[in-house]
Amino acid sequence: MVIALAQLMVVLDATIVNIALPSAQSDLGMSDGNRQWVITAYTLAFGGLLLLGGRIADLVGRKRTFIFGLIGFAAASALGGAATGPGMLFGARALQGAFAAVLAPSALSLLTTTFTDPKERGKAFGIYGALAGSGSAIGFIVGGLLTEYLDWRWCLYVNIPIAVVAVAGAFALLHDRPGHEGARLDVPGVLLGCGGLVAIVYGFSEAEPRGWSDPLVLTLLGGGVVLLAAFVWWQNRAPMPLLPLHIVKDRNRAGCFLTMALATIGMFGLFLFMTYYLQVVLAYSPVKTGLAFLPLTAAIITGSTQISARLMNRVPPRFLMVPGMILAAGGMVILTQMTVDSSYATEILPALLLMGLGMGLTFMPVFATATAGVAPQDSGVTSATVNTSQQVGGSIGTALLNTIATTSSATYITAHLHNPAQRALIAKEGVVHGYTVAIWCAAGIMLLGGLVAGLLVTAKPPKQAPAGAPVPETVA
C-alpha cells in the first residue's frame, strides 16, 4: 500500500492538472503559448532524470531515496499550490518532476526486492500495475472534483497528505539494505543519457505547438538521438555505467520496455482527445468529464488485480500482454466511430471498458517481467528504465497524435466548408474527424505493441517455491 500510494501520486500528477489548467491560466495570467509548460515542465524533468534517479536509488539505498523523494515531492507540490505567478508554478512543476524521478524507480525496485515469492509477487504487481495504468485516469477524476468544488491549487496540495501517510508507512514498514559503499556515479553517463532524454522529451513536447518541421524541434530530436548514441557508446566503456547494457540486451526486458512505450504512446494521446471531446464537443463539466473516465479506471484495476495477478504464475507473460494490447486496440477502433453527438452509454463506454481491461492485462506483466531476475544492485536502474519507457512514450504519444489530429481537422474543415453559415458545425465535425484519424493511428500502435510482446517476450511463468524452502533473492 505504501509503495502503491507513492506510485499513484507520481502518475496522477502527470494528468491531474490538465482539467485545472484553464482555471490556473486565468488566475495567474498565463499566455496560451506558455500554458503547456505546466505539463511539460513536469514530464521533462521526470522523463529526463529517471535514469539518474534509478542509479541514485541503487547507490544510496532504496528506502532512503524513497523517503527523500516523497518529502521533496510534497514540498514542491506545496510550492506550486502557493504559486503567485506562472514562473513559480513552472518551477514547482519541474521540481515535482525531479523528485518523481527519484521516487518512481525507488518504489518499483522496493517492490521487486520485497516480494520475491511468486504468489505474493503476483498480488503486489497486480496492485502496482493497476495504479500505474489507472493513475492518469484517476488524475482526471480527482482534478475535476477539486477544480469544481475547491480550487485548482488543491490539485497540487492534495499530494501533501498522501506523502505524509506514505512517509509514515515507509518508516514503519519498509526494509532495505544500505547503499553500495565505494560505488561512484557515472557522471559522463548522466550528462549524455539524461541530456539525450531531456532533448527528446522536450523536442516532442515542442512539436505540438510548433510543428514537426520547426528548426528547434528538429535540432532537439536530432541532438537527443546523437546524445543517446554517445551514451550507449560510453556505457560499453564506463567502469561503473549508469545503465549496464546487459539490462537492455535481455530479450524479455527489451520486449517489455518496447511494449510499455508503444502502449503509452496510444493511451496518453487518447486521454488528451477524450478530455477535449467530452468537455468541448459534448459540453461536459470538469466533474462529469472526470467521472466519465471512472469505468476505464475500474476496468484497468479489474484486469490487473483480478485477471493478470491470478494468471501470471500459470501462463507466460505474453499470453496476457498480447490479448491485452489487442483488446485495447479494439476499444480504440470502436472510438473511431464517434461523432459530434455520440451517446456515452452506447458508443464511448464500451470502448473505455475494453481499453481498460486491455491495459490492466498488459501493464502488470510488463512491470513484473521487466524487473524479474535483476541483481539487487541493478534493480533501481532497471525500474527507472521501465518508467522511462512509460514517460517518454507518453510524451511522444501526446505530441505525435495531437499533431495528426490537428492536421486532419484542418484538412477536413478546408474541404467541407462551402457554406459560411455552417462554420460552427463543420468546425466541430472537423475536430471530431481529426480525433478519429489519430485514434486509428493509436490503434495501429497498440497492435504493433502486441506484435512486439508476442515476438520478444518469451519468458515462462515463475515456478512456485516448494513449501518450507527458503525464498530466493530474485525470481528468474
Side-chain angles (χ1 to χ4, degrees):
M1 255 337 263
V2 170
I3 294 169
L5 264 180
Q7 178 65 18
L8 175 63
M9 187 172 69
V10 166
V11 176
L12 70 81
D13 251 69
T15 56
I16 193 171
V17 297
N18 279 29
I19 290 178
L21 192 51
S23 301
Q25 182 180 359
S26 173
D27 198 10
L28 299 180
M30 276 181 257
S31 68
D32 286 347
N34 285 338
R35 68 184 176 186
Q36 62 141 336
W37 280 103
V38 176
I39 311 297
T40 305
Y42 180 81
T43 57
L44 194 59
F46 187 18
L49 298 175
L50 266 166
L51 284 178
L52 174 60
R55 187 45 95 192
I56 289 173
D58 288 332
L59 299 182
V60 178
R62 290 172 282 272
K63 178 176 177 178
R64 194 178 299 172
T65 52
F66 181 79
I67 292 170
F68 170 74
L70 281 169
I71 294 170
F73 197 92
S77 299
L79 183 67
T84 55
M88 186 173 172
L89 180 58
F90 300 156
R93 289 286 287 166
L95 272 177
Q96 276 187 311
F99 283 111
V102 174
L103 180 57
S106 302
L108 183 53
S109 55
L110 277 167
L111 193 75
T112 302
T113 55
T114 301
F115 297 95
T116 51
D117 175 74
K119 189 175 180 182
E120 293 301 312
R121 185 179 175 87
K123 291 178 185 176
F125 273 93
I127 295 168
Y128 184 90
L131 289 176
S134 64
S136 300
I138 293 171
F140 288 120
I141 298 168
V142 175
L145 290 168
L146 292 174
T147 302
E148 190 152 324
Y149 294 114
L150 289 173
D151 185 71
W152 68 266
R153 297 178 186 275
W154 278 96
C155 291
L156 294 162
Y157 288 145
V158 71
N159 292 316
I160 299 171
I162 296 175
V164 168
V165 172
V167 168
F171 275 115
L173 300 170
L174 296 183
H175 305 286
D176 185 36
R177 297 174 185 78
H180 300 277
E181 293 183 12
R184 282 189 273 170
L185 201 60
D186 173 20
V187 176
V190 169
L191 295 175
L192 292 170
C194 295
L197 286 172
V198 165
I200 285 176
V201 174
Y202 185 23
F204 274 107
S205 66
E206 285 296 301
E208 191 178 334
R210 293 172 178 266
W212 292 99
S213 59
D214 184 83
L216 176 63
V217 173
L218 294 175
T219 302
L220 286 167
L221 294 177
V225 170
V226 170
L227 285 172
L228 289 181
F231 170 75
V232 172
W233 173 83
W234 171 250
Q235 294 307 283
N236 274 317
R237 291 155 181 78
M240 293 182 181
L242 179 68
L243 174 62
L245 292 182
H246 66 82
I247 290 172
V248 185
K249 287 178 181 176
D250 179 88
R251 177 177 180 146
N252 290 299
R253 283 192 204 101
C256 287
F257 297 152
L258 272 174
T259 303
M260 172 61 80
L262 291 167
T264 49
I265 284 174
M267 192 175 74
F268 272 62
L270 184 82
F271 282 152
L272 181 71
F273 300 143
M274 291 311 299
T275 303
Y276 276 92
Y277 176 75
L278 293 171
Q279 287 199 64
V280 177
V281 178
L282 298 187
Y284 281 21
S285 68
V287 169
K288 194 175 179 182
T289 300
L291 293 175
F293 282 102
L294 193 56
L296 174 70
T297 307
I300 290 174
I301 292 171
T302 301
S304 189
T305 62
Q306 301 305 311
I307 302 175
S308 281
R310 294 173 186 271
L311 294 178
M312 191 183 81
N313 297 325
R314 301 177 185 178
V315 300
R318 63 177 169 180
F319 283 21
L320 297 170
M321 294 159 66
V322 174
M325 297 297 275
I326 292 172
L327 273 177
M332 288 185 168
V333 169
I334 292 174
L335 278 181
T336 61
Q337 307 306 307
M338 67 186 185
T339 63
V340 293
D341 53 2
S342 289
S343 164
Y344 175 82
T346 58
E347 296 173 68
I348 308 300
L349 179 60
L352 294 180
L353 290 174
L354 275 179
M355 283 180 52
L357 279 174
M359 290 297 93
L361 284 171
T362 302
F363 279 144
M364 183 266 182
V366 164
F367 283 119
T369 307
T371 55
V374 179
Q377 66 268 22
D378 290 331
S379 65
V381 75
T382 306
S383 305
T385 310
V386 184
N387 279 286
T388 300
S389 301
Q390 186 177 21
Q391 198 59 39
V392 173
S395 299
I396 292 171
T398 302
L400 174 65
L401 296 177
N402 194 56
T403 303
I404 292 170
T406 305
T407 307
S408 301
S409 294
T411 305
Y412 181 93
I413 292 168
T414 302
H416 290 79
L417 190 58
H418 306 302
N419 184 355
Q422 294 182 321
R423 181 181 297 273
L425 176 61
I426 296 298
K428 191 177 282 190
E429 288 177 348
V431 167
V432 175
H433 172 77
Y435 292 165
T436 57
V437 171
I439 291 170
W440 271 116
C441 295
I445 292 168
M446 286 286 189
L447 288 175
L448 178 60
L451 182 64
V452 167
L455 294 176
L456 293 184
V457 183
T458 57
K460 292 181 169 53
K463 294 179 181 178
Q464 297 284 355
V471 178
E473 175 65 35
T474 53
V475 180

